[in-house]
Each structure stands twice: as structure tokens, then as C-alpha cells.
Amino acid sequence: MAVTQRLRRHVIERADNRCEYCQMPAEYDVAHFEVDHVRPQVHDGQTVSENLAWACFRCNNGKGPNLAGIDAHTDQLAPLFHPRREDWDEHFEWAGPHLLGKSPTGRATIAVLKINAPSRITLRQQLIEEGVFPPA
């Protein structure tokens, strides 16, 4: 099922037009943003508000059809962050331009989505220096 324009607008507004995984505001990213199926369609994820998130291309591309990843601290499988069911602040925190995982879910999500890739850290550092990141 395709995402309607109305549903797309709802997803963008709910996310305050920033990636629900890495918190990058769309206005500062050169890549386009996409509607992500939190539970991917390949795993029977539905195209409904409760299963959709606003994601930057890098996070959405890294996530792909994954539902879980390995937490490097415990070497155990952990579910990826679910923006509709979980509180971002319970799983993540900022240390300058680096996103840190506070839980197995946070650490696995950062690893699978490659949120701390060097190019992303560089961009976030520039935005920090400009005073526009991280979002309030």
C-alpha cells in the first residue's frame, strides 16, 4: 500500500520534520528524507500511522528490512528502536556529535543504522558549531 500525501504530512509533522532515529532536522541534510516502515513491509508491516516514521536517507537505508541488531556490549541480539512505542531519550544520548546508546536497543540501532558514520559526525559537528544541533 502506498503512503498517501495526507499520511506523509502527518508523519512529517509528528516527527517535527527530523529523523526519528538520528534526530537530524531535514532542513540541514543534503539527502532526502523518507517515510520508513518501522516494521518493514517484508515482515508484514502495514502502511498505517502507528508503523511509520520519518527518517533521513542514511538511517532508512541502513535500517533496511532489519528488525534487530547485535548489542556490542552484551553480544546479544537486541530489537531496533521503535519510534512509536519507545521514548528516544531512554535509549540514546548525545556526547557532542556522537550518538551514544544507553540500552541494548540504542546501541544496536546506532550500529545497524551506522548513525555515527564519519560523514554524519562531521555534519553534526558543523551544526553544533552553528548552534542548530542537537534539536531541543
Side-chain angles (χ1 to χ4, degrees):
M1 174 189 219
V3 177
T4 65
Q5 283 299 320
R6 181 177 181 210
L7 185 53
R8 179 182 171 86
R9 280 192 307 273
H10 168 72
V11 170
I12 293 168
E13 289 172 8
R14 177 179 63 201
D16 198 22
N17 201 21
R18 65 177 183 240
C19 179
E20 295 190 70
Y21 299 103
C22 74
Q23 301 292 292
M24 178 62 65
E27 65 191 284
Y28 300 117
D29 200 333
V30 296
H32 64 278
F33 274 48
E34 303 168 326
V35 174
D36 169 57
H37 285 78
V38 181
R39 178 177 178 178
Q41 291 176 304
V42 71
H43 297 293
D44 296 324
Q46 302 299 306
T47 304
V48 294
S49 176
E50 298 78 25
N51 188 47
L52 300 177
W54 192 229
C56 68
F57 175 79
R58 291 285 309 245
C59 285
N60 196 29
N61 190 53
K63 181 176 169 283
N66 293 302
L67 296 170
I70 301 295
D71 171 22
H73 284 82
T74 63
D75 204 32
Q76 298 291 312
L77 190 65
L80 297 181
F81 174 68
H82 193 303
R84 300 285 67 80
R85 296 182 184 155
E86 300 175 276
D87 180 13
W88 192 92
D89 291 321
E90 289 182 23
H91 296 283
F92 307 101
E93 67 184 340
W94 290 108
H98 298 269
L99 188 59
L100 304 179
K102 296 165 55 177
S103 67
T105 289
R107 292 185 293 268
T109 301
I110 291 167
V112 170
L113 279 58
K114 298 174 181 58
I115 289 175
N116 286 326
S119 62
R120 301 306 278 178
I121 290 172
T122 299
L123 174 58
R124 289 193 298 257
Q125 183 61 47
Q126 291 170 344
L127 295 175
I128 287 168
E129 290 169 7
E130 293 175 24
V132 295
F133 194 83

